Amino acid sequence: MSILSSIGRIANRYATARARYRSERILLSLPDELRKDIGFPEILDTRSSRYTATFSSKVI
């Protein structure tokens, strides 16, 4: 395992995580009704993250 392959894997994981969080931010910017229709609150409830605590107060 060379140093370049390690750097490549780290860069790939960073890019994947950044794209995921960007998608979550976009979905969280949608109105509550639309997020509920697409089932987005359930996605967040399955993850143990800071978003669950932030979003759980908005779920009816």
Side-chain angles (χ1 to χ4, degrees):
M1 178 167 39
S2 72
I3 190 89
L4 291 178
S5 65
S6 297
I7 291 172
R9 266 192 321 249
I10 291 169
N12 189 18
R13 277 191 253 150
Y14 174 76
T16 302
R18 186 172 174 197
R20 179 180 173 172
Y21 292 129
R22 180 176 177 260
S23 297
E24 286 183 7
R25 281 193 314 265
I26 290 170
L27 287 171
L28 286 171
S29 71
L30 295 173
D32 290 338
E33 297 82 22
L34 188 57
R35 281 186 277 165
K36 187 176 179 182
D37 288 344
I38 62 174
F40 190 64
E42 287 80 17
I43 294 170
L44 290 179
D45 289 340
T46 59
R47 292 181 52 208
S48 59
S49 71
R50 63 184 178 272
Y51 295 113
T52 303
T54 303
F55 191 78
S56 65
S57 63
K58 297 179 184 177
V59 176
I60 296 175

